[in-house]
Each structure stands twice: as C-alpha cells, then as structure tokens.
C-alpha cells in the first residue's frame, strides 16, 4: 500500500544520503550523480502519517518503528535535521488509537 511505498522512498533517501556522506557514488561510473538528498523531520513525519492512516494490521507498530528510528538518528547526531516533534508523536498516538490490537 501507500505506507510501504512512502517508507521505501524514505529508505532510498537514507541510502543516498549515506552514499553522499561516505563519498561513494553508485552511479558515478555511468555518468550519473547521486542527488544529495538528506531526509529531514518532515520526510519521516510523512511516513509516520502514512502508517497512521493505513488499514494494515501492523500499521501502528510500523509508525512507532519509524518514530524510534527518528529518535535514534537524532540521539546519535547522525542527521541534525531529524528530530521527532509533536506531529511525529501525535501521528503515532493516532495509529495506536485506531489499531485493532
């Protein structure tokens, strides 16, 4: 569904940001350049909101998993543009509130 697709895009963005920070470029040999894409809080919040709106059985767990990922990225200092905010937390609460578990 839509939530899986949004998370897949976020995963690609994280991979591209990791490649850019390590100096490697998977497409450089082919004349392509990796975009210097670094996901920020809004990117993670979009994925959390997608999971909070998903009818899938595991949606609340997936939303919380993305929130925990954000927390870890922030605490580690890995990406200073990522910090959970009120939208992050309320979206996860919404996911759990509508959960069938």
């Amino acid at each position: 569904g839509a939530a899986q697709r949004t998370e897949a895009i976020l995963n690609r963005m994280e991979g591209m940001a990791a490649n850019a920070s390590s100096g490697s470029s998977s497409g450089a040999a082919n004349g392509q350049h990796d975009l210097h894409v670094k996901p920020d809080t809004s990117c993670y919040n979009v994925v959390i909101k997608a999971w909070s709106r998903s009818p899938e059985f595991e949606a609340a767990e997936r939303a919380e998993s993305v929130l925990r990922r954000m927390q870890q990225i922030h605490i580690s200092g890995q990406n200073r543009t990522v910090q959970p905010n009120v939208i992050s937390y309320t979206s996860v609460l919404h996911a759990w509130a509508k959960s069938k578990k």
Side-chain angles (χ1 to χ4, degrees):
Q4 289 97 341
R5 289 190 301 274
T6 60
E7 190 165 0
I9 292 168
L10 178 64
N11 291 339
R12 276 193 305 243
M13 290 173 70
E14 288 176 331
M16 288 170 23
N19 285 342
S21 67
S22 70
S24 68
S25 179
S26 58
N30 300 332
Q32 299 173 358
H33 300 284
D34 283 341
L35 295 174
H36 294 284
V37 177
K38 192 174 197 178
D40 61 8
T41 298
S42 295
C43 296
Y44 287 88
N45 283 346
V46 166
V47 176
I48 292 171
K49 276 191 170 237
W51 280 117
S52 76
R53 295 175 179 160
S54 172
E56 294 190 32
F57 186 71
E58 301 289 326
E61 286 91 345
R62 298 289 295 268
E64 188 172 343
S65 173
V66 175
L67 174 63
R68 290 187 189 282
R69 202 157 99 198
M70 283 179 82
Q71 291 169 326
Q72 193 58 36
I73 290 167
H74 176 69
I75 290 167
S76 72
Q78 187 178 0
N79 181 343
R80 298 279 181 206
T81 65
V82 175
Q83 181 174 1
N85 60 20
V86 68
I87 295 168
S88 314
Y89 290 103
T90 56
S91 296
V92 170
L93 288 173
H94 177 75
W96 277 112
K98 70 176 228 132
S99 172
K100 307 274 190 280
K101 291 186 175 187

